Amino acid sequence: MNNRFPAALGTVAIVFAWAATDASAHNALSSMYAPAGYSQDLEMRVYHGCKGSPVKGVRIKIPEQVSRINIEYNRDWDIETRMRKLPKPVTMEGGVVITETIDEIIWKNPKSPLPANGRYESFRFRASLPNTPGAILYFRTITVCEQGESFGGKMNCWSERGYRFDTGPSLITMPWVFQELFETAGSR
């Protein structure tokens, strides 16, 4: 038995919610759940651009429950971060105390844009996950393509009270991802 990976009830569910400029970009997370209270290497894969338009940027919003982020270096992209203050100081490994953390990771200005089809790119980072078994963390992502100024998804989008929502492919064409997630967590 591997003590580092607790039983399903000790895991944290990780979900990427995405949007793409001018619709139809697909992103996927390499892991859908991880051990609560540990640091986890995560990889978001961008599989193609938007309606034939290459990818020129990717953004990931880090959930409030995540206390620390380390980003893998990528020679082909400029990497920017936006910071946020933590509600209270957090003591990390080795006794290091942090008072702020990364709130958003932005990959932009690629040396060569990710082609619209036929290739994928991985964007990797390590997240210190909350010690809250059963928690679900949503990493909102945005794929920026060369053409298109609006956000959308494979199926469409809708607006309500000034907010715009993507009804993208995960809700319609990838139900097994959510089924596996709920089965792992012991829920239907």
Side-chain angles (χ1 to χ4, degrees), residues 132-148:
T132 311
I136 298 176
L137 303 177
Y138 293 93
F139 289 79
R140 189 185 78 220
T141 69
I142 297 174
T143 302
V144 181
C145 295
E146 285 186 355
Q147 296 180 4

Side-chain angles (χ1 to χ4, degrees), residues 49-143:
C50 317
K51 292 185 178 177
S53 180
V55 174
K56 68 175 189 177
V58 175
R59 299 168 65 159
I60 299 177
K61 173 82 167 95
I62 307 302
E64 294 290 325
Q65 304 95 315
V66 174
S67 59
R68 185 172 183 178
I69 292 288
N70 296 89
I71 307 163
E72 180 179 272
Y73 178 70
N74 186 320
R75 289 183 182 98
D76 296 330
W77 294 82
D78 291 342
I79 302 171
E80 243 180 54
T81 58
R82 294 196 177 141
M83 304 298 286
R84 69 175 152 83
K85 295 278 185 202
L86 293 169
K88 61 182 182 175
V90 175
T91 303
M92 303 304 290
E93 293 177 23
V96 174
V97 177
I98 61 172
T99 58
E100 65 178 7
T101 192
I102 294 173
D103 188 53
E104 185 175 17
I105 308 168
I106 303 162
W107 289 270
K108 64 182 189 174
N109 303 323
K111 287 190 177 22
S112 173
L114 177 62
N117 289 306
R119 302 273 195 273
Y120 76 88
E121 182 102 33
S122 294
F123 298 86
R124 296 181 183 99
F125 58 98
R126 177 174 292 156
S128 295
L129 304 175
N131 194 7
T132 311
I136 298 176
L137 303 177
Y138 293 93
F139 289 79
R140 189 185 78 220
T141 69
I142 297 174
T143 302

